């Protein structure tokens, strides 16, 4: 690990980590990335772990998508991750691509940055000066941009285990299953009596980076866990975003999706709460 960090530092901004290569290599094919030094971290032993430690789920930087998707530990500790993985890429890409590489790539339509925001994940980052902890809320800065410095690596994720009784829901629309999202929405709810006690709602595909829908979350707490509440939350989500269109879909369609998918993700989360 230290050797990898040293090489990154020697690169003076011109070195890149090569993990699964599922985003970096296509970028290099298109000459959108032309690193002078590639630091292949695949043979650093002992960093492909996915384990529970107390109240945290810990995932090393070489844990492949497919291993995280299939993990019973993940399904029990953070079922939102497993639910979202139903929409992430195709088998061959998941076999090689890593969750940490995906987060470092920070594609604005990628599911996992949104999920990490909703879960309040902590990114453990290592550089020449040592290790620092970066909350997911501060990690994703913009389009393909994170808080990582050019001589730093994301070494592991520390994700709080879901509290007992928390429900989850994740919905997405894309061209085909496994393609990047036009829009995706994830939701976490706890319900006390018949009212919503806590809410976390995240989305991707609606701007330069994944986001938490703060105003939607605020509008939910204290309300009945009922269809009408979720309908209003969907409308609130739509009011608070202004997605642009691209070659595939219009901004108006994305606005429609954010409303519908928020409603559906919340209904699923409420159905699974308690
Ligand atoms: C056809 C196709 C469909 C896809 N569909 C989806 C999808 O639906 N949803 C989705 O989310 N993704 C999708 N992906 C992307 C996939 O998830 C990639 O695996 C992932 O984005 C990158 O992980 P990787 O390990 O391959 O990283 P790499 O490609 O090796 O690296 C990606 C970037 O992260 C940096 N990096 C990697 N690891 C670290 C680290 N530990 N520390 C610091 N920097 C690091 C690299 O330097 C590079 O800049 C798709 C990819 C393809 C080719």
């Amino acid at each position: 690990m230290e050797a990898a960090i040293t090489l990154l530092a020697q690169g003076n901004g011109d070195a890149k980590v090569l993990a699964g290569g599922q985003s970096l290599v296509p970028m290099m094919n298109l000459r959108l990335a032309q690193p002078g030094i590639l630091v292949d971290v695949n043979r650093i032993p002992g960093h492909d772990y996915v384990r529970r430690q107390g109240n945290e789920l810990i995932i090393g930087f070489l844990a492949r998508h497919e291993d995280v998707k299939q993990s019973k530990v993940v399904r029990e500790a953070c079922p939102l991750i497993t639910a979202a993985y139903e929409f992430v890429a195709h088998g061959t890409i998941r076999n090689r691509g890593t969750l940490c590489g995906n987060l470092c790539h920070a594609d604005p339509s990628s599911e996992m940055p949104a999920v990490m925001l909703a879960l309040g994940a902590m990114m453990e980052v290592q550089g020449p000066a040592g290790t620092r902890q970066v909350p997911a809320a501060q990690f994703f800065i913009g389009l393909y941009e994170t808080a990582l410095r050019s001589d730093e690596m994301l070494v592991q994720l520390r994700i709080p285990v879901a509290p007992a009784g928390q429900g989850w829901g994740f919905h997405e629309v894309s061209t085909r299953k496994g393609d990047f999202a036009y829009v995706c929405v994830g939701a976490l709810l706890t319900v006390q009596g018949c009212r919503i006690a806590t809410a976390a709602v995240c989305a991707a595909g609606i701007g330069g980076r994944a986001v938490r829908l703060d105003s939607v979350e605020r509008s939910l707490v204290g309300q009945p866990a009922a269809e009408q509440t979720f309908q209003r939350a969907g409308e609130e989500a739509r009011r608070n975003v202004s997605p642009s269109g691209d070659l595939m879909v219009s901004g108006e369609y994305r606005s429609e999706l954010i409303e519908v998918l928020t409603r559906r993700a919340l209904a699923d989360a409420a159905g699974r709460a308690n």
Side-chain angles (χ1 to χ4, degrees):
M1 171 87 73
E2 279 68 27
I5 306 266
T6 303
L7 282 170
L8 286 176
Q10 283 170 0
N12 278 326
D14 196 26
K16 282 249 167 227
V17 171
L18 175 71
Q22 300 303 305
S23 294
L24 182 57
V25 173
M27 299 278 271
M28 289 171 68
N29 283 344
L30 296 167
R31 304 295 185 268
L32 294 171
Q34 302 189 52
I37 301 175
L38 271 185
V39 183
D40 184 347
V41 294
N42 284 277
R43 276 163 295 176
I44 303 178
H47 291 277
D48 57 353
Y49 50 85
V50 177
R51 61 172 178 252
R52 185 172 168 164
Q53 211 168 288
N55 276 335
E56 287 184 328
L57 180 65
I58 314 281
I59 300 181
F61 68 86
L62 279 179
R64 311 283 166 183
H65 286 308
E66 191 62 20
D67 293 329
V68 183
K69 179 175 189 272
Q70 300 296 343
S71 165
K72 188 164 175 274
V73 175
V74 172
R75 194 176 318 121
E76 286 172 3
C78 296
L80 182 65
I81 297 179
T82 310
Y85 257 123
E86 282 306 311
F87 300 93
V88 176
H90 315 283
T92 44
I93 289 149
R94 290 196 304 268
N95 283 339
R96 194 73 197 149
T98 62
L99 173 53
C100 284
N102 176 283
L103 300 173
C104 293
H105 185 59
D107 189 294
S109 296
S110 180
E111 297 82 359
M112 286 302 153
V115 167
M116 294 302 137
L117 286 172
L119 292 170
M122 189 65 84
M123 327 311 237
E124 197 167 303
V125 166
Q126 194 173 329
T131 302
R132 64 187 180 110
Q133 312 290 328
V134 184
Q138 291 164 23
F139 188 79
F140 303 105
I141 291 179
L143 192 69
Y144 304 114
E145 192 188 353
T146 69
L148 275 177
R149 299 179 192 128
S150 61
D151 56 1
E152 287 182 324
M153 272 185 71
L154 175 56
V155 288
Q156 69 175 11
L157 307 173
R158 293 177 30 227
I159 308 170
V161 167
Q166 186 183 60
W168 70 95
F170 193 93
H171 279 264
E172 170 169 327
V173 171
S174 59
T175 312
R176 297 166 304 179
K177 190 160 186 283
D179 285 354
F180 280 102
Y182 294 158
V183 175
C184 62
V185 177
L188 294 167
L189 288 183
T190 56
V191 177
Q192 270 166 16
C194 289
R195 294 196 176 261
I196 296 167
T198 64
V201 185
C202 62
I206 51 169
R209 63 182 175 87
V211 289
R212 282 273 290 261
L213 300 177
D214 301 324
S215 71
V216 174
E217 294 174 359
R218 282 194 300 274
S219 77
L220 285 162
V221 174
Q223 298 301 311
E227 189 55 38
Q228 263 191 342
T229 303
F230 307 142
Q231 175 69 41
R232 280 198 298 272
E235 290 162 8
E236 173 68 16
R238 184 178 189 144
R239 264 194 302 279
N240 279 277
V241 300
S242 42
S244 24
D246 55 24
L247 284 175
M248 304 301 284
V249 289
S250 66
E252 179 59 21
Y253 182 56
R254 283 199 162 93
S255 295
E256 180 73 23
L257 285 180
I258 191 89
E259 178 174 338
V260 173
L261 300 183
T262 298
R263 173 161 48 80
R264 289 181 188 166
L266 287 169
D268 280 2
R272 289 173 177 139
N274 302 320

